[in-house]
Amino acid sequence: MTDPAPVDGEPDAVPTAPVPPPVEAPGAPPAKLWDRMRDDPHYAPEHLALEAVRRLGPEAAQWAARERALRPDAPPEHLADQAVRKFVNHARLSGAVSGAAGLPGAVIDVGVLAWTQARLVLHVAAAYGADPTHPDRATDLLVLQRVHKVAETARLALGVAAGRERAGALFGSAGDRALGRVMLQLGVRLARMAGVRAAKRMFAKVVPGAAIVLGTWANSSATKELADRTRALYRAAGPRQLPGPRRP
């Protein structure tokens, strides 16, 4: 079948590039990542950053490509606004996501919050033209979330975490006696990554009725501050062009 010929006086139809379907990214850390962080809690933020770039980077790249195809004149600031609104709302609603009480529930909540914040950072990076799938984004995540003060130490820690992951040289499953200590260490590391004071987060989960009020306020406040730092970083880098799809 051939396309109909244009009517006299009407311009030829301009073909448009197909918009790829959205990538389905997990809304919470996947089970294997939880296992990795539990077994190696000291490097939990690094494991989360590495996995976030792998899993969430493609989602952010396709989102930016789709938005630019639909609104080619939209400036980066508008795309960044859209991403920030979306993920600040997600963070606000993640205060009691696990439904579990006590320390395990607090650990799950701050882990989900840190994961949501990683999605925000990668989407804002894509809005400003930075490649959200590039390994440097894991370094950016750790510096923006103040896990490390400078990029050099963040890269070193990521290299250690990646080496542990590849070699399988993790600590192994903790026994029942050590589980509480491991969960506490993991919760503190993730809470610091997410910008929420661990004491407040644990209080919000243990005291009935405090989780929703305090969790909502702490999550949205920390995420908004992260969004401001992220926008400043990628805005200062200037306009960039995301790379096209890799050729096989």
Side-chain angles (χ1 to χ4, degrees):
M1 179 180 295
T2 59
D3 294 334
V7 179
D8 290 342
E10 293 184 358
D12 294 342
V14 178
T16 58
V19 178
V23 174
E24 293 293 334
K32 289 184 179 180
L33 175 59
W34 280 117
D35 292 341
R36 200 178 305 141
M37 293 191 298
R38 180 203 62 210
D39 292 341
D40 196 11
H42 183 74
Y43 286 97
E46 288 79 10
H47 289 304
L48 189 147
L50 289 169
E51 191 69 17
V53 172
R54 294 189 199 112
R55 294 232 182 189
L56 305 179
E59 173 201 37
Q62 286 203 14
W63 166 79
R66 188 168 60 252
E67 291 301 317
R68 289 192 178 98
L70 295 173
R71 298 181 297 166
D73 295 331
E77 290 293 336
H78 288 188
L79 296 184
D81 285 342
Q82 182 179 340
V84 170
R85 284 195 301 269
K86 176 179 180 179
F87 292 110
V88 166
N89 285 335
H90 283 194
R92 185 179 293 115
L93 296 174
S94 69
V97 66
S98 70
L103 181 58
V107 173
I108 293 173
D109 285 352
V110 294
V112 172
L113 177 59
W115 187 255
T116 299
Q117 291 181 348
R119 295 180 80 184
L120 180 148
V121 170
L122 294 173
H123 277 69
V124 171
Y128 286 102
D131 183 0
T133 66
H134 194 281
D136 283 351
R137 299 294 83 75
T139 301
D140 294 347
L141 276 170
L142 294 177
V143 175
L144 286 166
Q145 292 180 295
R146 295 177 173 172
V147 177
H148 296 282
K149 293 182 179 180
V150 294
E152 288 76 10
T153 55
R155 291 192 190 99
L156 178 61
L158 286 166
V160 172
R164 289 171 177 262
E165 179 182 333
R166 287 192 300 268
L170 302 180
F171 299 145
S173 299
D176 292 340
R177 294 180 181 178
L179 183 59
R181 175 178 55 82
V182 169
M183 292 293 287
L184 179 60
Q185 184 180 6
L186 177 57
V188 170
R189 293 289 290 173
L190 291 175
R192 288 176 178 171
M193 182 182 192
V196 181
R197 292 182 182 179
K200 287 185 178 181
R201 200 69 196 92
M202 304 307 170
F203 173 81
K205 205 60 185 175
V206 172
V207 178
I212 295 176
V213 176
L214 183 55
T216 297
W217 174 84
N219 288 3
S220 60
S221 176
T223 306
K224 287 177 182 177
E225 291 176 4
L226 173 64
D228 291 341
R229 296 194 298 271
T230 303
R231 298 183 73 148
L233 173 67
Y234 293 114
R235 185 189 296 119
R240 285 172 284 185
Q241 183 67 37
L242 282 172
R246 295 181 177 89
R247 294 182 179 179

